[in-house]
């Protein structure tokens, strides 16, 4: 199953990139480059969504459109696609 959520990235004063997901509470990433921050965001979103799906009362948040995000100066938005493969007994 594929899940696509937007992430927002910004280059900090120290040259590193940090990212967050407006729709996924407390889901962050960072990296020395934008590519590293995006890769870390993919991993963080995968962990966040997998954890949420394991809950009995699983309710994933609605997905924001990138065009609806109010970006601040220097922020870059990218859609992050997470593919989770379900297997027999995955929710036991």
């Amino acid at each position: 199953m594929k899940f696509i959520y937007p992430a927002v990235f910004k280059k900090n004063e120290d040259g590193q990139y940090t990212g967050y997901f407006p729709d996924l509470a407390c889901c962050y990433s960072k990296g020395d480059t934008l590519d590293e921050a995006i890769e870390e965001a993919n991993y963080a979103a995968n962990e966040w969504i997998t954890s949420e799906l394991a809950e009995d009362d699983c309710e994933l948040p609605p997905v924001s459109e990138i065009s609806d995000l109010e970006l601040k100066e220097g922020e870059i938005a990218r859609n992050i696609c997470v593919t989770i493969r379900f297997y027999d007994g995955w929710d036991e």
Side-chain angles (χ1 to χ4, degrees):
M1 182 173 269
K2 284 188 181 182
F3 301 91
I4 301 173
Y5 281 95
V8 177
F9 300 94
K10 184 171 183 171
K11 189 173 187 176
N12 296 327
E13 292 176 5
D14 63 1
Q16 288 191 325
Y17 285 84
T18 57
Y20 69 94
F21 289 85
D23 302 323
L24 308 179
C26 300
C27 188
Y28 304 102
S29 72
K30 65 180 178 177
D32 290 332
T33 65
L34 180 58
D35 287 341
E36 285 180 13
I38 289 171
E39 185 176 328
E40 178 67 24
N42 189 287
Y43 176 78
N46 187 309
E47 291 294 307
W48 194 100
I49 293 168
T50 300
S51 176
E52 189 66 26
L53 290 173
E55 298 292 322
D56 289 335
D57 59 346
C58 169
E59 191 171 319
L60 293 177
V63 178
S64 295
E65 294 291 331
I66 285 182
S67 59
D68 293 337
L69 299 177
E70 294 183 21
L71 300 177
K72 297 175 186 163
E73 185 176 336
E75 291 184 330
I76 303 164
R78 296 288 187 267
N79 277 323
I80 302 298
C81 179
V82 175
T83 302
I84 298 176
R85 297 178 190 247
F86 296 107
Y87 54 89
D88 288 339
W90 73 271
D91 61 345
E92 294 178 356

